[in-house]
Amino acid sequence: MSKSAIVALLLLFASCNEENVLDLEPYNQISEDAAFSTPGLIELSVTGMYNAAQRGDYGGNGRGYPFGAAFVQQGDNRGEDVVNVATFYQLTYTATYDQTTANNVYYWSDTYRLINRANIILDGVSTAVENGVIDAELGDEYSGEAYFMRAISHLELMFHFARPYDDTPDAGHLGVPYRDVAFTTEANIADGLMQGRNTVAENYTRILEDLDMAESLLPTRDERGGTAGLIRATQEAAIAFKVRAYLHMNDWDMVLQEGERLMGVYSLTETPGVPFESGYSNSESIFSIENTANNNPGVNAALASQYNRRGLVVVSPIIWRDSYWLEDDLRREEGSLISTRSGVKYTLKYKDDVTYTDPSPVIRFAETVLSMAEASARLGQTDDAIEYLNMVRDRALANPATQSYTASDFANTDALVEAIIAERRIEFLMEGRRWPDIHRLQNDQYIDYDGIPQKYANSVPNAEEYELGTPFEGPYGVQAVPYSDYRFLWPIPQQEVNNNPTLAEQQNPGW
């Protein structure tokens, strides 16, 4: 992290927008010591952490790093199931980024800025409890939120800057720096300017430790109540992220163990469009980032702007014509989840294209269920795997009685796992989940991936290329990038390696 960036981190409460996330009062330039001096200011400090997760920074403008919009847009555009039609994500889409590419640089710096806010809150809340400013119960809740945000931020960085868990037998290859110290003193800043990368194994250990701690301190969804149970961290959100982490570790037993704990707490909505029609109130959304009319990532980042109103990213013919996606599937329904303009397919998951109030869907119960389906299949529990798979898929089928999967549909485990991954592509289309799956499946026993897949050209697709009936077989305008290629990973930003000699020596190979 550059020296100027670390100094900027000390201004924990600077540059907030007119309205903060969670509808709390605005604040600006509150000193670090004062911020933890009253219960009200402490609450605003925690709100600032969510604000940092939602808005990010791009030359002073909100751009949704990391969880307000950027994780969706970057996660989609690194994969092949969307088409970037303009220049906004062209460098991401075509893998022509470098150490100075703004979207990637801010992805790193804003995520670590969020991590630093979490670390400052952990220190400040601890002191506030010791001084009797707030009671221990409230202090635990705030600390749980900070542990949660620190964990999921490091996990997100791992998908782009480090190779997957099983790249080496012991996951001893380089991950990202796991930062658990607040940069609030000169000594801490000096240490931060020298900190190197942890191993991937160490990263996942720390992520799971933080999620366990978060779960032990946070209230449940029901204790939060109402909308807060979806847009504030909860015990269940920590559990859901443990499922995600274990999935990326290939720890199938733990995926099932943790996932089972959410069964009966959440339920899939009756139809696949409900989580997007009622984004702040539904039975399926586990954790989302709030956006309001006065505080959102803005016209250059908000999901309903980029994906809907401006149409800068569209559904790719590659996934639209995939044979696993039945022609009468409700997830193709015009006016619900899809909008067709001049024959081109756009997503309607993000509906408010005027004031951009759609929540950013960070994690849904459908993901947990499909992760359990995959874990069951890999453990040889075929009946359970099919049951979990059908839970998600059947609600989108025109006639589940005849279209639902049965054991006879799968010749072997390869076929079953392939169907589950295909279902993830369909279900989470334009929710940012495609790249994390491509990332984790590179060395897989059943899924034959080699790097970044080939894609449709960076341009508006032709209407006729959406015609159903046969799989899309080209032409492809963006060539595949092999797993062995250095471009599979993003480089550590130049501003980081210029100021941190340790990271300079640990730059991703080839950059």
Side-chain angles (χ1 to χ4, degrees):
M1 181 175 296
S2 68
K3 194 167 187 178
S4 60
I6 293 180
V7 171
L9 291 176
L10 302 181
L11 301 177
L12 172 60
F13 309 103
S15 304
C16 288
N17 202 19
E18 295 176 4
E19 180 187 353
N20 289 305
V21 183
L22 313 180
D23 297 322
L24 294 178
E25 293 298 320
Y27 54 85
N28 191 32
Q29 299 290 356
I30 301 173
S31 75
E32 168 196 326
D33 292 334
F36 298 95
S37 62
T38 71
L41 288 175
I42 296 170
E43 186 175 5
L44 288 173
S45 305
V46 176
T47 301
M49 178 176 64
Y50 285 94
N51 199 67
Q54 177 248 26
R55 283 186 58 79
D57 181 77
Y58 190 107
N61 299 310
R63 287 290 289 273
Y65 300 97
F67 295 114
F71 81 99
V72 171
Q73 293 157 352
Q74 294 279 61
D76 284 340
N77 280 283
R78 295 203 73 185
E80 80 280 36
D81 290 340
V82 306
V83 180
N84 181 67
V85 305
T87 59
F88 256 83
Y89 295 99
Q90 184 172 356
L91 298 181
T92 296
Y93 188 75
T94 58
T96 50
Y97 33 72
D98 61 25
Q99 296 93 319
T100 64
T101 300
N103 275 331
N104 301 9
V105 168
Y106 283 104
Y107 211 96
W108 173 284
S109 62
D110 280 347
T111 305
Y112 275 115
R113 184 177 289 112
L114 170 58
I115 289 166
N116 195 57
R117 286 175 182 257
N119 288 330
I120 291 174
I121 286 170
L122 287 169
D123 287 353
V125 165
S126 177
T127 301
V129 171
E130 290 176 6
N131 293 338
V133 179
I134 57 174
D135 62 34
E137 182 177 359
L138 185 57
D140 283 349
E141 180 180 324
Y142 290 153
S143 294
E145 291 177 278
Y147 280 117
F148 173 81
M149 206 64 76
R150 187 170 79 183
I152 69 172
S153 297
H154 282 103
L155 182 61
E156 185 67 22
L157 289 168
M158 295 283 286
F159 300 151
H160 297 287
F161 295 97
R163 290 194 178 265
Y165 191 87
D166 61 358
D167 188 67
T168 56
D170 61 353
H173 52 292
L174 290 178
V176 299
Y178 205 93
R179 291 181 172 152
D180 57 4
V181 174
F183 294 128
T184 54
T185 67
E186 291 185 8
N188 286 353
I189 292 172
D191 289 343
L193 288 170
M194 296 294 293
Q195 183 179 358
R197 300 168 69 171
N198 293 83
T199 67
V200 167
E202 290 169 342
N203 282 144
Y204 274 94
T205 295
R206 294 299 310 278
I207 288 165
L208 290 167
E209 288 174 349
D210 277 354
L211 289 173
D212 283 339
M213 182 63 73
E215 183 193 345
S216 72
L217 298 173
L218 286 167
T220 66
R221 180 191 66 165
D222 290 343
E223 288 169 343
R224 284 260 189 236
T227 300
L230 186 153
I231 61 174
R232 295 288 288 257
T234 61
Q235 289 181 19
E236 292 87 354
I239 295 168
F241 267 94
K242 283 194 283 184
V243 173
R244 182 180 285 180
Y246 282 123
L247 187 76
H248 282 263
M249 297 171 67
N250 300 329
D251 191 335
W252 315 120
D253 288 318
M254 289 304 298
V255 168
L256 293 175
Q257 180 176 311
E258 294 290 349
E260 183 63 34
R261 301 173 65 199
L262 298 179
M263 292 291 173
V265 179
Y266 294 91
S267 60
L268 298 170
T269 56
E270 184 175 357
T271 58
V274 173
F276 304 95
E277 295 161 4
S278 304
Y280 292 106
S281 178
N282 65 82
S283 64
E284 181 173 331
S285 296
I286 297 176
F287 181 70
S288 299
I289 291 291
E290 180 190 28
N291 293 300
T292 69
N294 293 322
N295 188 16
N296 57 69
V299 67
N300 286 333
L303 292 166
S305 171
Q306 301 290 75
Y307 282 12
N308 184 355
R309 179 181 176 182
R310 301 179 71 186
L312 301 182
V313 182
V314 305
V315 177
S316 175
I318 295 172
I319 186 63
W320 188 256
R321 291 168 56 179
D322 191 281
S323 60
Y324 280 100
W325 198 354
L326 300 184
E327 292 189 19
D328 54 4
D329 189 304
L330 293 180
R331 288 166 295 192
R332 297 185 185 273
E333 188 174 7
E334 188 73 19
S336 174
L337 294 176
I338 295 293
S339 171
T340 303
R341 310 174 207 170
S342 301
V344 178
K345 305 298 180 180
Y346 298 79
T347 186
L348 270 183
K349 285 185 173 180
Y350 312 106
K351 303 183 184 301
D352 183 4
D353 60 359
V354 178
T355 57
Y356 312 137
T357 59
D358 296 277
S360 298
V362 181
I363 196 162
R364 296 195 281 124
F365 183 54
E367 179 183 335
T368 299
V369 175
L370 288 178
S371 295
M372 295 178 73
E374 185 177 341
S376 297
R378 293 177 182 275
L379 291 172
Q381 301 168 12
T382 302
D383 290 345
D384 288 344
I386 295 172
E387 180 179 355
Y388 290 132
L389 173 57
N390 282 335
M391 283 175 62
V392 175
R393 183 173 178 268
D394 281 4
R395 64 178 176 167
L397 299 181
N399 188 357
T402 60
Q403 295 173 319
S404 186
Y405 282 132
T406 66
S408 62
D409 291 313
F410 307 107
N412 49 41
T413 302
D414 294 65
L416 178 54
V417 172
E418 182 179 291
I420 294 166
I421 299 303
E423 187 65 23
R424 291 176 69 94
R425 292 174 66 186
I426 298 164
E427 178 67 23
F428 305 121
L429 179 62
M430 305 196 90
E431 292 182 57
R433 303 315 315 153
R434 181 57 180 149
W435 174 253
D437 277 350
I438 292 171
H439 180 269
R440 72 181 174 88
L441 292 169
Q442 287 302 306
N443 306 299
D444 194 70
Q445 178 181 1
Y446 301 114
I447 304 299
D448 185 22
Y449 287 170
D450 180 16
I452 304 172
Q454 58 186 345
K455 308 175 186 182
Y456 194 92
N458 192 103
S459 60
V460 179
N462 297 316
E464 59 269 21
E465 289 174 323
Y466 287 99
E467 292 181 7
L468 300 178
T470 59
F472 181 82
E473 295 182 350
Y476 296 93
V478 179
Q479 298 307 305
V481 176
Y483 181 61
S484 59
D485 193 288
Y486 69 98
R487 292 170 295 167
F488 182 80
L489 293 184
W490 286 347
I492 298 173
Q494 192 64 43
Q495 65 183 26
E496 284 284 351
V497 299
N498 285 346
N499 291 280
N500 184 328
T502 307
L503 287 181
E505 294 292 324
Q506 297 177 333
Q507 176 63 281
N508 283 324
W511 291 106

